[in-house]
Amino acid sequence: MTARPTSADAVPDGLALGFDVTAWYQDPAFAPHLSRRHWRRLPARLAEGVGQALAACRRHGSRATFFVSGEVAEGSPDLVRAIAAAGHEVGLAGPEPCDLAGLAAADRAVWLDRCERTRRRLEALAGAAVRGFRAPWPVAAGGAWWRAAMAGPGCRYDATEVADGSAPPGQLVVAAHGIAGPGAARCVPTWALDAGQPRLVGLPRAVLRGHRKVIAAVGGGLERLLATGSPRPFAAALGLPAALPAAPDPPPAPPPAPLPAATAPPPAPRPDLPELAVVVPLKDEEPGLPSLAVELDALAARLTPLVRTGFVLVDDGSTDRTWPMLQELFGSRSDVRLVRHERNLGVAAAIRTGLGATAAPLAASIDGDLSYDPAELEHMLPLLEGADVVTASPYHARGGVRHVPPWRLLLSRALSRCYRWLLRSDVRTWTSCFRLYRRAAVADLPLEHPGFLGTAEWLVRVLRRGGVVREHPCVLEARLFGVSKMKVLRTICGHLRLLWQVLRGRIS
């Protein structure tokens, strides 16, 4: 991942300046806290960061090296062309962040092949030979095995940061083949120049503050660096001659392994497959709706071999722009039905409305804040055979919880133990909204508690009527956008009343 930039004070003439073209969510400080599953639904905003870097260099008449990965080259080819057209050097960045130093020997050939294909793609886009490589994330000490292997295809230097203590603070040690290295070298992640990126919630506050501090510092630091130094691309700082036009492509190689299914429209589901309606209750979720759209598309593609998937999105009395945004994002789609409550009725009531708006025999409810990975429905579907409900369970032995406040976790665990004890059930999680249902088993159940309590009430009623509830281990994560709608004190009191009703046998 992209290394944290250091302060950019005055530097000697001959500075080698580089930019890592990386997405803002690839900040290395996010790595222990932000699951990679979120990357697919977050806007990368590459053009915004690169645009700021290009504008800063243009103001000062400077040139630099932009290190670009294969993912960026394939997804944003016009961005690579714009970098080259502005007179900057295009360098090769490794594939998406990985432990390069610890890469298994069996995987190195595959990794090198990906790099070579990316190098050729970049040369075609930039119209010039690519002579430098950089892994835009720190690499643990342990031998830079890739340097010799990459020298053959034409990489003349490697600007990867290796954590072996050889670099002065704030500088890089550039390993060049047969030429002298620059006196000073700096690389700046383009994401740190983008002040308009989304503001996350749910990650540790210190991490979010640190991310924002980097953004606040790097723009001004780059301006000072450009104003007081004489930065040049890495190749120029190393004394390499001007880049030659890219060599013609060799005969085509055998086609690489197929890309993930998300790169092409999924095939139409077979008409004989069962129908699944995915119900999404939403209350003031405007900031996260673009992410939801990405996730629902990915989910439909993933479930195509198993079911015919449709969606019911229920706006539960939102007061922000949730409803008009739902119409903008989904209004023209035949596989999506939009339903609206004029006033807020509660999450369980919204799920029930969604169940009533479809005739599909199978139904799922997922959280609008995407705190569970919707892709888990693929693994939950087989468990519905012979069951009435399959519920996501972070308290399962193989489940987990990330970044949920401890007090909320303690409350949820305690309540789940109470329900489990009163009903003599093996179910460990009672408060999850992320579930699969046989719709006929729950659609007509009474619902006395339309809010968050209703999710527990339904499980009680299914079990009391002899139904079968199964659990699937899942990871519950704190939401990334917006705020929780749960009223803590009201929810605690409500669960205590519901537990009393269960104890007295009044819920059946």
Side-chain angles (χ1 to χ4, degrees), residues 333-413:
R333 290 180 49 163
S334 60
D335 62 337
V336 177
R337 181 169 183 180
L338 302 179
V339 184
R340 187 183 190 190
H341 290 167
E342 292 298 329
R343 61 184 181 86
N344 178 236
L345 300 180
V347 64
I351 294 172
R352 183 167 187 172
T353 295
L355 295 175
T358 178
L362 307 180
S365 59
I366 69 174
D367 300 79
D369 62 8
L370 301 172
S371 50
Y372 291 95
D373 186 354
E376 291 294 334
L377 289 178
E378 178 185 11
H379 307 295
M380 295 168 70
L381 275 166
L383 298 178
L384 199 56
E385 183 70 31
D388 298 291
V389 179
V390 179
T391 185
S393 180
Y395 307 142
H396 189 282
R398 298 195 305 276
V401 178
R402 300 188 65 180
H403 311 310
V404 175
W407 61 266
R408 184 172 175 179
L409 183 59
L410 179 63
L411 169 64
S412 180
R413 283 185 182 275

Side-chain angles (χ1 to χ4, degrees), residues 105-200:
D107 297 327
R108 292 178 180 180
V110 175
W111 184 91
L112 288 167
D113 179 66
R114 288 182 66 188
C115 285
E116 173 58 13
R117 284 189 281 123
T118 297
R119 186 182 68 83
R120 289 168 50 191
R121 173 65 171 156
L122 290 173
E123 289 184 341
L125 291 171
V130 170
R131 296 173 293 175
F133 169 79
R134 172 173 162 81
W137 58 94
V139 175
W145 57 267
W146 61 91
R147 285 176 178 162
M150 296 185 73
C155 278
R156 300 293 305 279
Y157 67 86
D158 173 35
T160 299
E161 294 181 43
V162 179
D164 57 6
S166 59
Q171 295 188 20
L172 304 177
V173 170
V174 180
H177 300 290
I179 49 180
R186 303 284 172 84
C187 271
V188 176
T190 55
W191 64 257
L193 302 172
D194 174 22
Q197 60 191 242
R199 295 175 70 90
L200 299 180

Side-chain angles (χ1 to χ4, degrees), residues 326-336 338:
L326 286 175
Q327 294 174 311
E328 293 168 13
L329 290 168
F330 302 102
S332 61
R333 290 180 49 163
S334 60
D335 62 337
V336 177
L338 302 179

